[in-house]
Each structure stands twice: as structure tokens, then as C-alpha cells.
Amino acid sequence: MNHAKTCRTGRTVAARVSAGLISAALGLPLAAFAAGNPCAAGSQATRAANPCAANPCAAKNPCAAKALQRPAGYKPYKGDRAELVAAGQKLFSDKSLSTNNTSCATCHTDYAAYKASFAQPYPHKVEMAVNTAGMKQIHLDEMVQLCIATPMAGKPLDWKSRDLAALVAYTEEQQKGYKEHMTKNPCAAKNPYAAKNPCAARNPCAAK
């Protein structure tokens, strides 16, 4: 066995992991060290096949959950509801929030890629939050932050910012529309990125 090579490899891996943890702790975009960390959000290794999938490596990052949870004494930005919804609608399609040229709308146009749980009042359990950050329950503002940090590989928004409040307000409107959408199409919550659709087998929803 080449012990020198093994040691060098170990140091390289350790350095990459340290870089990732430091970047997360400082609030830097995870994509900044993605090239050296196959588990970083937005890395080609985890995103090339499916830009809308949850990152299975994120749960390995002990800083992930803390950065995405509401801070102590958190008080969200307050403003005119209609103005926030309008601003949130624009931000929903704003790719500048990401580092991989995606936006919220990349996955969620016309209510696509929402799970059935999206119709439930927040906080509630969301599979992606459990898998990527170990969060058993999540609030809507935390979910917005998670989506920005993971599928979009961006930097979470300031918790007191108007932008976060706007995205939350618009997503709340999306939630209302989604409930109506689900009433008309009970198979809509099935993952459009999945290889198989359990609804398709019995074909209750297929176009004729």
C-alpha cells in the first residue's frame, strides 16, 4: 500500500470538507466550493441529471439545518400584502438568486414538482427538508430558504429582508392555487421528475 498517497488523499478530502463547512458557516454560496466537494449543493455530480431533485449529500453538512432555521427572536419583514405578492412573483422567476441559472419557477411553473404536502398548513413535514437538513418540521419561510440554498445553490436571504417576505407571500398564493389545482387534478402532486408515475399504471388521469 502506498501510505504517502493515502495520506495525501486523506488531507485533500479533509481540506475539501473543511472548506465546505467554513463556506456554510460564513454564509457563502455552497457552489463556491462545489468543484471540490461532490456533495455541495449545485455540484455537477448531484445536479446534472435532475436540477429539481433534493441534494442527497446535504444531510452530511452539519451546518445546513442551522443556517436554514429561523433565528432566535425572528420577526419577518412586514409590508403591504399586495405589493409583497407582486414582488414575490418577480423573484419567483429571478435566476440571480441562484448560482446555477435556475429559479423557483424552474421547478414550480404551473404548480409542477410540488408534493401533496404543499397543501397542508405550515409548519409540517417536508421530505426534502428531512433528507437534506434533518428538519422534521419546516415553516414556509424556512422552505423558501432551503429551496434557494439547495436546488438553486444560492445564498439564503436575510431573514428580515423584504425579498424573503415577498417570496413567502407569493408562495402562500401559490399554495392557495395549488389546492384548487389539486381538486381538479388529483394526480398533479406526483413527481414529474420521477422515472415512474404510480398514477400512470391505473391511468385515472391520462389524457385521452
Side-chain angles (χ1 to χ4, degrees), residues 171-207:
T171 306
E172 288 173 342
E173 295 303 310
Q174 283 275 296
Q175 189 180 34
K176 294 176 184 177
Y178 176 76
K179 292 177 182 178
E180 296 177 3
H181 180 65
M182 281 296 297
T183 300
K184 299 176 182 178
N185 182 7
C187 289
K190 300 302 176 182
N191 184 359
Y193 301 101
K196 296 180 179 180
N197 180 355
C199 258
R202 298 177 182 177
N203 199 18
C205 309

Side-chain angles (χ1 to χ4, degrees), residues 78-112:
K78 299 293 184 181
D80 181 81
R81 175 73 181 182
E83 291 180 358
L84 287 176
V85 171
Q89 183 174 13
K90 293 180 180 179
L91 289 169
F92 202 75
S93 299
D94 190 347
K95 294 182 179 181
S96 70
L97 296 178
S98 75
T99 61
N100 57 11
N101 198 39
T102 61
S103 68
C104 302
T106 298
C107 292
H108 297 304
T109 295
D110 294 329
Y111 307 112

Side-chain angles (χ1 to χ4, degrees), residues 89-191:
Q89 183 174 13
K90 293 180 180 179
L91 289 169
F92 202 75
S93 299
D94 190 347
K95 294 182 179 181
S96 70
L97 296 178
S98 75
T99 61
N100 57 11
N101 198 39
T102 61
S103 68
C104 302
T106 298
C107 292
H108 297 304
T109 295
D110 294 329
Y111 307 112
Y114 287 126
K115 296 288 187 178
S117 61
F118 184 57
Q120 300 173 12
Y122 284 90
H124 63 248
K125 180 180 178 180
V126 175
E127 184 179 348
M128 186 172 80
V130 174
N131 293 340
T132 62
M135 299 171 70
K136 296 181 180 180
Q137 295 281 320
I138 192 166
H139 291 86
L140 180 54
D141 45 15
E142 293 172 326
M143 193 67 222
V144 169
Q145 298 281 45
L146 177 63
C147 286
I148 291 175
T150 306
M152 293 166 60
K155 180 179 178 180
L157 299 170
D158 186 295
W159 285 97
K160 297 179 181 179
S161 69
R162 180 175 182 270
D163 284 354
L164 178 58
L167 273 173
V168 169
Y170 180 68
T171 306
E172 288 173 342
E173 295 303 310
Q174 283 275 296
Q175 189 180 34
K176 294 176 184 177
Y178 176 76
K179 292 177 182 178
E180 296 177 3
H181 180 65
M182 281 296 297
T183 300
K184 299 176 182 178
N185 182 7
C187 289
K190 300 302 176 182
N191 184 359

